[in-house]
Amino acid sequence: MARPQSVLDRSFTPAATGGTASTSGTGGTAGTGGTAAGAGDAAGCAGDTAAGTGHATAGTGNTAAGAADAGADAAGRAGDTAAPAAPGDTADLATGAGVAPLLPVVGGDLDIPLVGGGRTRHVNLDYAASAPSLTSAADEVARLLPYSASVHRGAGFASQVCTAVYEDARAEVARFLGARQDDTVIFTRNTTDAVNLLARAVAHLPEGPGRVVVLDLEHHANLLPWSSAHRVVVPVRPTLTGTLDALAEALRAEPTALVAVTGASNVTGERLPLAAGGPVAPAHGAGGVVGAPPPAPHRRIDLAALGVDYLALSGHKLYAPFGAGALVGRADWLRLAPPYLAGGGAVRDVSLRPPTAAPAPAENGPPPSPEVTWADVPARHEAGTPNLPGAAALAAACRALAALPAGALAAHDDALRARLEGGLAGLPGVRVLRLWTDADGGDARDGDTRDGDGDDTRDDTTRDGDNRDTAPVGVVAFTVEGRDPDALAAFLSAEHGISLRAGRFCAHPLLGRLGASGGALRASVGVGTTAADVDRLLTAVREYLTTGPRGRYVHGPGGWAPDHDDRLLPGWASQAPTAPTPTPAPCDT
């Protein structure tokens, strides 16, 4: 791809620089609770949440970094242009050797500028924030757009097509997540939106607002929506066993409506056992919620098999475009809750006539209040024109992931995480962040009792119903001693074309607990990631630690950036005559 001469012909002045990272440990927070899982979305942060209700059934290798950056870059190009791995081909996945893309993604061969001149293939290791769209999801949107018309509100043929696609998307999401026959699927904007919807339902239970129990490892999207007056926050312990014991103790303390916990940490990738009857959901009369992203992009989830009541997810974590999510689960609480938004589509009848038993309003007096008969779920909580392209793309992504051979998703994810974590652990001054000392893939209490059949469609439950698989997913956070994570992320982007996340990942309490209150870096993989992508990161970090950046970096309002950044945005992305000044993240990342 040719570059404009005027964009990159300015020199990039070399100057070694180094940042400092401040770290300190902080304690956990106290609060209130029930059983739910996952959280995280809103500002592109990873980790989603699910939650449950008080139903009778509810219970609560080290890898060589690479010879040279040029070699790694060449390997990266070759790896990214290779065809996706043949379905079921898991030969070499144990070591990560030759790991190819599992499914094609939009932007998998994106060519981007480097500071000081040159271009390279973009290496996206920030899947946990927002995953790229699958090409099949983008194709679905392109196929749908010519039919743009009203959903549920038109007699024309295009409107009928749109209505059929929307309701089929609802059914597809339910199938993909293993929803029960009487569960409902409510489309939302994202996981944060879905959790807020559920929180409103919990606050309006007939018996009064329900007590909700969460862990302090949660993404803000699973901490902040729950009413502080009825939320109990359980601090995590150094071991998974100790954490599960503390959670059980909190549930024994007093009646709990819901336990809201993540299926996998959006910071460390470590997983909680979530199956019904397992240690997270003991029979204390609490409902359960499991968060989909980060688990869903890395492992198949079965809502009925897990025995949780609700699950919240985001399309942009599940290889669909921005702006679509879902709350999936039992209908009763949602049926009783006031509509999430008031407006068209959420009602069956609206009248401005006063009730017949009431006296007529005085002349020139205030107009009568509308009398509303609200619709049943899911329409009750889907007021306004829905995001049809978002729902259709989410359903297309679900279909593509469901079509993968049993075990392929988990094998691809496990191989890349092992390569990434092992390579980082071999670099000087690098500390990989972990929550627990006893959660490396087996059960925290009884050792590894996974059935070993390679079927990741049900790999969260064993034959006796207990969840034993706590193997972490492809999300790895790390710090580098004496280095500012934001400065390292800027270097990786500017000089190597590598994207990962730096900051506190919308999980501020957890970063403090892990001794990284000043922030960390997070690399995350997905279906479009290759072994060459991981190797390029390892090579680049090694270069940063041994020879330093090739140019000078400065800290401004938007964080660290090259002193003379000559990378311009594409003309269609900005009409400004010069590159815009970066804006600080609203939640301090």
Side-chain angles (χ1 to χ4, degrees), residues 2 19 55 78 87 110 139 148 159 186 236 260 292 407 416 429 448 460 466 475 481 492 572 586:
H55 294 279
L110 182 65
D139 291 345
S148 292
S159 180
I186 296 173
V236 297
L416 290 170
D448 189 355
D460 280 321
D466 282 344
V475 178
E481 185 178 3
L492 292 170
W572 53 264

Side-chain angles (χ1 to χ4, degrees), residues 234-293:
V234 177
V236 297
R237 304 300 195 264
T239 65
L240 177 55
T241 298
T243 300
L244 298 175
D245 289 342
L247 188 56
E249 183 179 351
L251 295 176
R252 284 193 296 268
E254 59 181 285
T256 299
L258 183 71
V259 178
V261 292
T262 186
S265 168
N266 74 300
V267 176
T268 69
E270 290 167 281
R271 298 167 65 197
L272 284 160
L274 295 167
V280 169
H284 294 292
V289 176
V290 59

